[in-house]
Amino acid sequence: MKYWNAFLAAAALAAATSPAHAAYPEQPIKVVVPYTAGGSSDVIARAISDELSAELGQSVIVENRAGAGSMIGTAYVANEKPDGYTLLLADVPFTIVPALYGDRIKYDAKTDFAPVSLLGLSPMYLFVNPSFPAKTVKELVEAARAKPGTISIGSGGNGSLTHLMAALLMLNTDTKLVHIPYKGASASVNDLAGGQIDASFTTMPTATALFQAGKIRPIAVSAPQRQKETPDVPTFDEAGVPNMGVQSWWGLVAPARTPAPVLEKLGAAMTKVMQSSKVQQRLNSVGVNLPPDTSAAALQTLLNADFARWQDVIKRANITFE
């Protein structure tokens, strides 16, 4: 009898100490998009949700929590219970906002989140108006050095990736361009096509219609290699301007302190999700490329590089926000 009692006691102890996440997931999972519905982040979240639901056997719900340039939705997820049931669809502002606002934001992007999966990449193009005399980046740089402060470059707004790309270009080429911020990248390239500005950074999906109509001309792409849809457009490295290999990115993160077994299960499921031809086709339809490595480690490597890059660029370019 004493052996039976000892067995029952051991079984009870094992049940009491067994991790609650062993059966994860036991309820629906929420993916928070820190923007309004319809944008690229929202499209990507909805593209992965059905496949992730199928892999995990639970509903995956996309919830839009927009506001304050992604900060509202991001802060919400940072403060949620770290149990794997609330995730964040993060993108470039995730690494830019901390460098712009410092301790004025209500979360620490570096320590309050754990990476789950890298979802997609999209390179930035430097476009010029077709009538602009410079046909290459080298010629643009030479013109900017010859007449500092006379060439204008638009962006999607102060603190946006397109703004920081313009700042990075100036830092890397020791030039002074006139930055013209707009309320969105589309407005910037529309004015570029109309001749109101000389150049602008944006992604190809934003510029496709104007590019195909011949109203704007790409002179370099920020990807590590030329893109299949624009084989004649050189990379910045090929154009003689190194350290411009910056791409828009999207990733899935969870609150920090989410149990490792839960993160591992999510990561394994996302590996299968990202191999889905349906998901890849949906991402490609909005100009997003599948990364060669979609793992949590790949996302963390990207985050580390971006945190350091934008901190450096914003400091050296003296970009400040009140």
Side-chain angles (χ1 to χ4, degrees), residues 3 16-17 27 29 35 44 63 79 102 107 133 139 169 175 206 248 291:
Y3 295 110
T17 58
Q27 65 189 56
I29 296 165
Y35 307 103
I44 292 170
E63 180 177 297
N79 291 305
Y107 58 88
E139 291 178 0
L169 176 64
T175 55
T206 301
S248 289

Side-chain angles (χ1 to χ4, degrees), residues 72-243:
I72 288 177
T74 304
Y76 168 79
V77 176
N79 291 305
E80 282 293 278
K81 187 177 180 181
D83 54 10
Y85 291 106
T86 305
L87 309 174
L88 174 71
L89 200 295
D91 66 340
V92 176
F94 185 82
T95 52
I96 292 177
V97 164
L100 286 174
Y101 296 99
D103 58 8
R104 287 174 288 174
I105 58 178
K106 298 179 180 179
Y107 58 88
D108 188 328
K110 294 181 181 179
T111 61
D112 288 348
F113 298 91
V116 174
S117 177
L118 179 58
L119 306 178
L121 299 169
S122 185
M124 304 296 292
Y125 283 82
L126 176 58
F127 288 93
V128 296
N129 184 277
S131 64
F132 188 67
K135 305 300 180 186
T136 64
V137 173
K138 181 180 178 182
E139 291 178 0
L140 183 150
V141 170
E142 290 172 348
R145 287 174 177 167
K147 295 183 178 181
T150 61
I151 296 173
S152 57
I153 185 163
S155 79
N158 287 317
S160 65
L161 176 58
T162 49
H163 175 199
L164 298 190
M165 288 295 290
L168 185 60
L169 176 64
M170 286 186 264
L171 290 170
N172 287 342
T173 58
D174 192 25
T175 55
K176 177 62 177 176
L177 307 175
V178 180
H179 172 231
I180 309 294
Y182 287 83
K183 292 183 178 180
S186 295
S188 176
V189 293
N190 283 337
D191 263 15
L192 177 62
Q196 282 81 19
I197 55 176
D198 300 312
S200 185
F201 278 98
T202 194
T203 59
M204 185 54 75
T206 301
T208 295
L210 292 171
F211 166 59
Q212 292 178 344
K215 294 183 178 181
I216 57 176
R217 176 164 47 86
I219 59 174
V221 64
S222 69
Q225 62 281 318
R226 296 191 184 205
Q227 300 297 285
K228 61 182 180 181
E229 65 268 28
T230 53
D232 296 330
V233 179
T235 67
F236 275 95
D237 280 344
E238 292 174 328
V241 183
N243 303 316

Side-chain angles (χ1 to χ4, degrees), residues 18-76:
S18 128
H21 51 260
Y24 173 86
E26 297 180 294
Q27 65 189 56
I29 296 165
K30 181 164 57 181
V31 175
V32 173
V33 176
Y35 307 103
T36 54
S40 54
S41 293
D42 185 66
V43 169
I44 292 170
R46 295 179 192 281
I48 66 170
S49 61
D50 287 347
E51 298 291 330
L52 184 57
S53 175
E55 287 294 332
L56 295 176
Q58 283 287 350
S59 297
V60 177
I61 302 162
V62 176
E63 180 177 297
N64 299 90
R65 284 182 173 262
S70 79
M71 288 185 275
I72 288 177
T74 304
Y76 168 79

Side-chain angles (χ1 to χ4, degrees), residues 100 163 167 171 311-321:
L100 286 174
H163 175 199
L171 290 170
Q311 187 73 46
D312 175 65
V313 169
I314 288 166
K315 181 178 179 180
R316 288 197 290 145
N318 195 30
I319 298 170
T320 58
F321 275 67

